[in-house]
């Protein structure tokens, strides 16, 4: 019923799509999970309610003003109070899975130095129970950016191996409390991006970088991203071992649903800037330094050889015992994919940003070649619309990891910023529909070629707090009114609803 206001505009969309853009639900395998995603800090709000403590993002936003115009996630989408409405919205969309994250500071306000907060457990129990009741699969990210600030203050969070213990303690409580109903677990969201944004570029908390600029603090960006990633990967490995050994089998016996556990990485597709050996190698290297850095350890038990060659002893090492439990510590690979970008070798010249040396392996990135952009721009810098990138990245991951099961855990579009856009214009989001149609067509092609992809999540269910960009970068299928918190489905929501019913707009 909530979609009726937009019924009229759907006709406008129909005329815009040609036959080759037509992609239908039936073009995907039968049990393929279509869903939408959010994360706790970006939607929940209620930042100090019912026993939740201050998280690293609360602290960062309050002390420095984290988003544009000083916006923060104190209230966000008020999902903490409106979750029933939101689950109803998912149900009417017809999605079969919902990916969300658990606020660590709500469950364990003082990490492993304090008690479990029963009200936190209760909140996620209500979400999970209501999802299950509506036939929507809960897809739970245990850690997505936010953790209790106390862990930062006490020992420096991910820079210290103690954070692994805190994470495993948290994960265990989640498995115990929710594991009877949750079949899909993601340990950590995008550790590779956290290493870059928090310890290299310094724009996410704790804002560390080696050449202080803006608000960032002096750190050692040559080493810290590597250390932080190492601690995150080990935290993942230990939690996965615990899940595999103590929970998976029991839940299998009890409810015939053992559950699967995976890790999610931020996966750009890199294409060579020029058709030269050095740029072709640069594109390959950027993939290895991102995808390989994230998934080689939990699949093969160690970092890629190429990274060892570049970083030498600065790249931490796994002990023999660690290699053993890291290996095969994931049941599925989560790919967050938004964009492709050109990669240009900077081994012999000096790379412009240190991130391009450390995080990308001496690769400069650019979205422009000979004055032509790689794809349409979006409101996120360096995110372009390049549908072929989806097939390319999935194929790369498929080949590198021998077709380990994959999920596209995020894919989405934020419209370019236009001054004073009318709400009407935001709701009439034809570009977002086109984005999803073309990226899905590209994904379907890789599945036809044998890629074992099992689901696709749109980022995001609704407009939300986009980290340092605040509320103006809108990825949602629904518009959120910042004053009333009303959710208004955009045309893309109507499109997704139709798509899931296997109707194509051009039928
Ligand atoms: O907000 C999320 C989406 C949208 O943009 C989500 O929480 C994240 O998991 C994910 O990373 N998302 C996202 N990323 C933008 C990050 C900026 C990276 C810029 C790097 C440029 C090379």
């Amino acid at each position: 019923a909530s979609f009726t206001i937009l019924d009229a505009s759907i006709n406008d969309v129909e005329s815009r799509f040609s036959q080759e853009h037509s992609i239908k639900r039936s073009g995907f395998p039968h049990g393929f999970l279509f869903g939408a995603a959010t994360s706790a800090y970006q939607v929940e709000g209620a930042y100090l309610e019912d026993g939740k403590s201050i998280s690293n993002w609360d602290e960062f936003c309050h002390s420095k003003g984290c988003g544009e115009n000083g916006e923060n996630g104190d209230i966000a989408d008020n999902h903490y109070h409106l979750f029933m409405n939101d689950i109803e919205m998912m149900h009417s969309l017809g999605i079969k899975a919902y990916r969300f994250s658990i606020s660590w500071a709500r469950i364990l306000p003082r990490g492993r130095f304090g008690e479990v907060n029963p009200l936190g457990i209760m909140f996620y129990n209500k979400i999970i129970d209501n999802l299950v009741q509506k036939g929507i699969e809960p897809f739970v990210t245990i850690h997505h950016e936010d953790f209790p600030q106390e862990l930062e203050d006490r020992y420096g969070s991910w820079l210290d191996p103690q954070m692994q213990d805190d994470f495993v303690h948290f994960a265990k409580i989640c498995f115990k409390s929710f594991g009877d109903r949750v079949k899909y677990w993601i340990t950590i969201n995008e550790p590779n991006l956290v290493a870059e944004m928090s310890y290299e570029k310094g724009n996410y908390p704790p804002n560390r970088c080696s050449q202080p600029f803006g608000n960032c603090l002096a750190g050692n960006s040559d080493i810290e991203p590597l250390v932080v990633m190492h601690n995150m990967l080990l935290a993942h490995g230990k939690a996965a071992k615990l899940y595999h050994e103590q929970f998976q089998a029991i839940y299998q016996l009890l409810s015939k649903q053992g559950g699967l556990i995976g890790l999610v990485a931020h996966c750009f597709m890199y294409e060579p800037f020029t058709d030269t050996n050095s740029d072709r190698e640069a594109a390959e290297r950027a993939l290895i330094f991102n995808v390989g850095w994230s998934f080689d350890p939990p699949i093969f038990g160690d970092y890629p050889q190429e990274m060892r060659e570049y970083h030498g002893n600065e790249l931490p090492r796994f002990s023999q015992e660690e290699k053993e439990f890291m290996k095969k510590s994931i049941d599925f690979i989560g790919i967050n994919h938004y964009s492709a970008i050109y990669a240009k070798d900077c081994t012999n010249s000096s790379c412009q940003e240190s991130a391009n040396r450390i995080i990308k392996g001496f690769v400069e990135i650019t979205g422009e070649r000979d004055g032509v952009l790689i794809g349409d721009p979006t409101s996120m810098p360096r995110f372009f619309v390049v549908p072929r990138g989806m097939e390319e990245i999935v194929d790369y991951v498929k080949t590198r990891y021998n077709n380990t099961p994959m999920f596209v855990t995020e894919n989405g579009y934020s419209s370019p910023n236009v001054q004073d856009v009318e709400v009407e214009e935001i709701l009439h989001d034809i570009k977002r529909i086109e984005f999803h149609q073309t990226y899905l067509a590209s994904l379907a092609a890789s599945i036809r070629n044998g890629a074992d992809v099992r689901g696709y999540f749109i980022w995001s269910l609704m407009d939300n707090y986009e980290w340092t960009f605040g509320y103006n970068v809108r990825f949602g299928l629904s518009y959120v009114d910042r004053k009333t918190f009303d959710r208004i489905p955009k045309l893309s929501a109507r499109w997704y609803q139709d798509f899931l019913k296997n109707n194509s707009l051009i039928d």
Side-chain angles (χ1 to χ4, degrees):
S2 45
F3 295 108
T4 44
I5 39 162
L6 294 170
D7 273 356
S9 356
I10 210 87
N11 298 328
D12 304 350
V13 185
E14 291 183 24
S15 58
R16 294 243 194 161
F17 291 102
S18 61
Q19 194 69 40
E20 60 277 20
H21 278 159
S22 169
I23 175 81
K24 298 185 94 180
R25 170 65 186 86
S26 56
F28 290 86
H30 178 64
F32 193 90
L33 282 180
F34 278 101
T38 63
S39 89
Y41 186 72
Q42 297 179 270
V43 299
E44 284 181 9
Y47 83 107
L48 268 187
E49 274 177 62
D50 293 342
K52 179 183 165 294
S53 68
I54 291 285
S55 74
N56 55 331
W57 274 89
D58 294 321
E59 167 65 26
F60 168 47
C61 291
H62 294 156
S63 64
K64 301 206 170 126
C66 52
E68 281 175 8
N69 317 317
E71 291 165 341
N72 61 46
D74 288 2
I75 306 177
D77 287 345
N78 198 18
H79 173 71
Y80 190 74
H81 297 289
L82 299 176
F83 71 92
M84 283 301 278
N85 169 84
D86 294 336
I87 293 174
E88 196 45 61
M89 179 165 78
M90 296 175 213
H91 184 61
S92 70
L93 265 178
I95 59 175
K96 288 287 175 280
Y98 173 48
R99 175 177 175 235
F100 62 99
S101 80
I102 299 197
S103 155
W104 195 333
R106 230 181 254 298
I107 301 286
L108 286 161
R110 303 195 53 212
R112 74 189 196 287
F113 305 101
E115 301 298 311
V116 175
N117 171 21
L119 295 176
I121 302 281
M122 211 183 342
F123 172 61
Y124 294 104
N125 268 335
K126 283 191 266 181
I127 293 197
I128 293 166
D129 286 342
N130 282 289
L131 288 172
V132 171
Q133 211 202 346
K134 298 265 186 226
I136 302 169
E137 200 71 70
F139 219 95
V140 176
T141 310
I142 299 172
H143 172 49
H144 193 132
E145 285 286 341
D146 57 329
F147 55 75
Q149 175 63 20
E150 183 165 345
L151 308 183
E152 186 61 48
D153 297 340
R154 272 190 186 243
Y155 57 76
S157 71
W158 290 113
L159 277 173
D160 193 301
Q162 285 187 64
M163 192 68 164
Q164 298 171 28
D165 305 330
D166 258 292
F167 179 75
V168 174
H169 178 70
F170 172 40
K172 186 171 186 175
I173 289 161
C174 294
F175 299 147
K176 261 193 190 160
S177 313
F178 313 124
D180 55 335
R181 289 149 293 156
V182 174
K183 288 194 247 171
Y184 297 96
W185 293 97
I186 289 158
T187 49
I188 302 180
N189 181 68
E190 301 186 340
N192 58 332
L193 193 81
V194 173
E196 175 172 353
M197 302 305 265
S198 298
Y199 293 89
E200 173 65 69
K201 295 215 166 94
N203 39 8
Y204 285 10
N207 320 99
R208 294 174 69 82
C209 60
S210 61
Q211 296 132 345
F213 59 90
N215 277 334
C216 90
L217 305 166
N220 182 349
S221 72
D222 279 359
I223 295 175
E224 289 180 4
L226 302 177
V227 170
V228 160
M229 183 69 163
H230 196 66
N231 284 325
M232 293 185 118
L233 289 168
L234 281 168
H236 156 83
K238 289 179 180 175
K241 181 173 188 288
L242 178 79
Y243 184 72
H244 283 141
E245 288 175 358
Q246 294 185 24
F247 294 93
Q248 205 173 35
I250 294 180
Y251 289 133
Q252 178 71 37
L253 277 176
L254 290 177
S255 56
K256 301 212 173 15
Q257 37 176 267
L260 300 173
I261 191 159
L263 179 70
V264 164
H266 189 62
C267 303
F268 263 82
M269 182 61 208
Y270 296 93
E271 297 182 356
F273 181 70
T274 61
D275 193 23
T276 55
N277 277 345
S278 60
D279 283 352
R280 273 199 300 271
E281 282 166 20
E284 177 65 21
R285 212 159 54 236
L287 286 165
I288 293 173
F289 273 62
N290 273 276
V291 175
W293 189 28
S294 308
F295 295 120
D296 275 24
I299 294 179
F300 303 139
D302 207 350
Y303 292 114
Q305 189 50 38
E306 293 85 345
M307 289 192 74
R308 181 68 64 200
E309 280 159 22
Y310 272 87
H311 291 303
N313 285 333
E314 290 189 343
L315 186 67
R317 289 174 198 276
F318 294 104
S319 69
Q320 202 48 44
E321 186 207 340
E322 287 168 345
K323 283 184 182 165
E324 285 312 312
F325 73 72
M326 286 302 291
K327 225 183 271 179
K328 307 209 169 64
S329 68
I330 55 177
D331 302 318
F332 65 86
I333 289 173
I335 298 174
N336 285 357
H337 178 71
Y338 290 86
S339 181
I341 199 143
Y342 295 123
K344 198 175 176 180
D345 178 58
C346 62
T347 335
N348 300 318
S349 51
S350 51
C351 307
Q352 271 173 28
E353 294 174 30
S354 67
N356 297 343
R357 268 188 303 118
I358 310 301
I359 309 279
K360 302 202 166 58
F362 295 84
V363 175
E364 211 81 74
I365 55 168
T366 172
E368 194 183 315
R369 181 163 69 189
D370 303 332
V372 181
L373 293 178
I374 188 168
D376 278 348
T378 71
S379 63
M380 290 295 282
R382 295 174 177 174
F383 281 28
F384 301 93
V385 182
V386 190
R388 66 174 180 275
M390 178 63 89
E391 186 179 358
E392 290 170 352
I393 194 75
V394 167
D395 284 352
Y396 178 81
V397 172
K398 168 185 137 190
T399 307
R400 190 169 181 91
Y401 302 111
N402 196 19
N403 215 1
T404 296
M406 292 167 263
F407 286 87
V408 174
T409 36
E410 287 179 29
N411 176 235
Y413 175 78
S414 62
S415 358
N417 277 326
V418 187
Q419 288 297 307
D420 308 318
V421 233
E422 296 289 329
V423 175
E424 270 309 303
E425 213 177 307
I426 298 178
L427 294 178
H428 202 263
D429 57 343
I430 287 172
K431 287 245 159 93
R432 180 170 290 99
I433 300 177
E434 202 163 26
F435 177 94
H436 286 293
Q437 292 253 55
T438 51
Y439 273 67
L440 278 170
S442 175
L443 179 62
S446 59
I447 295 174
R448 279 197 304 275
N449 283 326
D452 186 2
V453 184
R454 301 185 177 184
Y456 174 87
F457 292 82
I458 290 185
W459 186 272
S460 176
L461 176 68
M462 55 192 163
D463 292 342
N464 59 46
Y465 178 69
E466 182 46 46
W467 309 115
T468 48
F469 294 95
Y471 291 101
N472 274 332
V473 169
R474 295 173 178 273
F475 277 94
L477 290 170
S478 280
Y479 171 84
V480 176
D481 182 308
R482 299 296 322 144
K483 292 201 184 72
T484 61
F485 298 99
D486 283 348
R487 283 81 160 116
I488 307 173
K490 300 179 191 172
L491 199 55
S492 56
R494 170 61 202 272
W495 160 77
Y496 204 26
Q497 187 193 43
D498 275 2
F499 169 82
L500 294 172
K501 286 188 197 141
N502 202 34
N503 295 331
S504 156
L505 291 172
I506 57 163
D507 273 354

